Amino acid sequence: FSVDVSRETFVVDESSWTGKVLASGLAGFFEEPRGFGAVMAELERVYNASRTSGGTRAQVQKSLEDLCSKGILERDKKDNQWAYKATSEFAGRVKKAQEGV
């Protein structure tokens, strides 16, 4: 028998932290494992996000955890911190929003 498992797909909406993390992934940021500090530095560089704001850090951390639980990102402990990397499913399940829609 065969089982068809439909997986949730994501359309990138850069108005949320999850969308910003996904947009970074579409740009290739998560092709290599990245620690939380590197993720925050990238969000600061691209979106002028504050690396020192506790609220921002908590929201980004929650977004990363949610994406891991949904199989979009994976994480491994590296140098006493989590390192996040795109899963093999990332490219098939994450799409850029269409312009002008």
Side-chain angles (χ1 to χ4, degrees):
F1 71 93
S2 66
V3 177
D4 182 22
V5 178
S6 295
R7 296 281 198 166
E8 181 180 12
T9 57
F10 296 86
V11 177
V12 174
D13 173 5
E14 294 178 69
S15 67
S16 71
W17 289 113
T18 299
K20 290 172 175 133
V21 169
L22 289 171
S24 296
L26 284 175
F29 181 74
F30 290 106
E31 289 177 6
E32 299 294 324
R34 306 291 185 154
F36 184 72
V39 173
M40 289 303 298
E42 179 69 1
L43 294 174
E44 179 181 49
R45 184 184 73 78
V46 176
Y47 299 103
N48 294 319
S50 171
R51 280 196 278 181
T52 58
S53 166
T56 299
R57 293 177 68 82
Q59 290 174 7
V60 171
Q61 185 65 45
K62 181 174 179 353
S63 293
L64 291 168
E65 290 170 3
D66 288 346
L67 292 171
C68 287
S69 71
K70 293 177 180 183
I72 299 297
L73 295 177
E74 59 190 14
R75 68 181 187 176
D76 289 311
K77 204 68 144 174
K78 185 176 182 179
D79 297 331
N80 207 26
Q81 71 170 334
W82 290 115
Y84 299 89
K85 186 175 191 266
T87 64
S88 59
E89 295 181 10
F90 187 100
R93 293 180 57 201
V94 179
K95 305 292 181 211
K96 189 170 184 98
Q98 293 180 350
E99 300 289 326
V101 175

